[in-house]
């Protein structure tokens, strides 16, 4: 089963908060909500990733204040 993880990190190598969802649409809404709440803070990193049962982890999109939203990892 594929799960989707949204991670919010306030500074590089700093603490983070994550949530996991089975539904991509729900995870994308959380990504957008965290972007609206925290996206303007300096140094913030928000990522949406796909995790598969075999342990693969793929970053689908990333938000940073420096680069905005980009596909894949920062």
């Amino acid at each position: 089963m594929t799960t989707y993880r949204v991670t919010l990190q306030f500074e590089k190598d700093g603490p983070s908060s994550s949530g996991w969802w089975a539904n991509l649409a729900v995870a994308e809404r959380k990504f957008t909500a965290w972007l609206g709440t925290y996206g303007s803070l300096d140094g913030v990193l928000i990522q949406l990733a796909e995790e598969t049962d075999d342990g693969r982890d793929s970053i689908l999109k990333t938000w940073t204040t420096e680069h905005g939203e980009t596909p894949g990892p920062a």
Side-chain angles (χ1 to χ4, degrees):
M1 178 178 174
T2 299
T3 58
Y4 300 93
R5 182 188 76 244
V6 180
T7 302
L8 167 65
Q9 191 169 22
F10 290 102
E11 59 186 53
K12 185 178 171 129
D13 300 324
S16 63
S17 180
S18 298
W20 287 262
W21 293 269
N23 184 294
L24 177 58
V26 174
E28 286 181 329
R29 283 195 302 271
K30 181 54 74 173
F31 177 90
T32 302
W34 282 2
L35 174 59
T37 303
Y38 303 106
S40 64
L41 300 175
D42 287 336
V44 75
L45 170 71
I46 304 169
Q47 289 187 320
L48 172 62
E50 177 181 62
E51 298 180 353
T52 59
D53 283 341
D54 61 5
R56 288 183 295 140
D57 185 65
S58 300
I59 304 299
L60 302 177
K61 57 184 168 180
T62 299
W63 168 269
T64 62
T65 51
E66 297 82 23
H67 302 288
E69 187 176 318
T70 57

